[in-house]
Amino acid sequence: MPLDQSLTADIHETIITLPNGSIHAQGILRDGPEPPEVLIERVCAPLRAAAGQQRRPIRLSIGHADGRVEQHQIAADGAIHPGRMPAVADSAPDPIWAQGIPDDTRLLDSVRAAQRAGQWRAAQLAAHRATQHLAAQHGRDHPYAAMGVELQAHFALMAQDHAAGAALYTEAAVAIHQLGGPQAQIRHDLANAVAAWIHSDRDTRPGGPGFAVAHALIRITPNDRAALAALLRRLTQDRA
């Protein structure tokens, strides 16, 4: 029976190959005398085993230094096959995304007060508190919680905290993607995340926001080659 080439599994692993030949996967930066292909296989070996143990395929996306993203599928027998990203649904997003955060509980009053006073750090903290309330009331996997994170990201940038802005916009983009939100909103958040990281002190730690943004680009907007290539180039240069 031929393998379904559509990547339909909900397990999605991403790997980054950097211009200097090292790779980044699962929060770990791997380098050494071996070529990237060998390093990638070391990451894939346990994924092959996991696919067999769970009897389900695993999506695998590999982002390269030139911005190209390869799509693969690890089958339950451990074999790696070429694949493609599932098509984006043509249906319109839930209207809730256009309605915004509800104001019936006046959660945003303190946010607006801080905004009017130009107290951006206070506005960010107030947005954080509002997000916590929304997550407690509706669940963390809810559009309102994702919108709250977006609001925090906005005020982080207004407060010139670009590192926090990059991390928060990435978190928001991933959440909106997982919830099936508007594609334009996701792309906007990822673009803000990239720009914020570029204008920050460019934290290049393996667990830092720079690599988080790169993995999000690979996972969510694999055709955005220019943004990914530029980000990986800066990650490599700044680590040198």
Side-chain angles (χ1 to χ4, degrees):
M1 173 185 270
L3 177 75
D4 179 3
Q5 296 300 299
S6 175
L7 298 177
T8 57
D10 58 2
I11 302 176
H12 192 175
E13 293 287 338
T14 53
I15 298 174
I16 294 171
T17 60
L18 293 163
N20 63 2
S22 60
I23 73 166
H24 185 274
Q26 300 171 336
I28 300 173
L29 188 66
R30 296 168 170 86
D31 53 19
E34 299 92 347
E37 294 77 11
V38 174
L39 298 175
I40 289 173
E41 178 53 36
R42 289 183 181 175
V43 174
C44 289
L47 296 178
R48 293 173 188 265
Q53 291 170 357
Q54 299 182 29
R55 298 183 180 277
R56 64 190 303 182
I58 294 176
R59 280 186 276 169
L60 175 65
S61 297
I62 303 175
H64 294 275
D66 62 359
R68 176 174 47 91
V69 176
E70 292 181 12
Q71 308 289 349
H72 301 280
Q73 186 179 55
I74 304 177
D77 62 1
I80 299 180
H81 303 267
R84 57 182 173 81
M85 287 292 290
V88 177
D90 292 331
S91 58
D94 192 307
I96 195 172
W97 294 103
Q99 295 167 3
I101 298 173
D103 202 23
D104 53 349
T105 57
R106 309 192 69 82
L107 284 173
L108 301 182
D109 282 357
S110 57
V111 177
R112 294 193 184 99
Q115 182 179 18
R116 286 193 297 269
Q119 297 175 349
W120 307 121
R121 180 69 68 184
Q124 180 186 349
L125 293 174
H128 173 68
R129 289 192 294 269
T131 302
Q132 288 181 315
H133 285 294
L134 290 166
Q137 183 176 2
H138 301 279
R140 294 198 174 276
D141 295 328
H142 190 278
Y144 293 155
M147 294 177 202
V149 176
E150 277 186 311
L151 197 60
Q152 294 176 63
H154 168 74
F155 288 119
L157 293 192
M158 295 299 294
Q160 300 296 307
D161 189 349
H162 292 98
L168 288 165
Y169 267 122
T170 302
E171 180 183 346
V174 171
I176 296 169
H177 170 68
Q178 292 174 339
L179 292 169
Q183 293 299 308
Q185 190 170 347
I186 295 168
R187 290 192 296 269
H188 177 266
D189 286 352
L190 283 177
N192 282 343
V194 172
W197 185 81
I198 293 294
H199 288 91
S200 71
D201 57 3
R202 294 191 294 276
D203 181 356
T204 60
R205 292 175 300 161
F211 280 107
V213 178
H215 282 283
L217 288 172
I218 292 169
R219 181 186 301 269
I220 300 172
T221 56
N223 295 322
D224 194 354
R225 294 183 61 165
L228 180 60
L231 185 58
L232 297 185
R233 187 163 54 248
R234 290 301 293 266
L235 278 166
T236 302
Q237 291 172 350
D238 290 349
R239 289 187 62 85

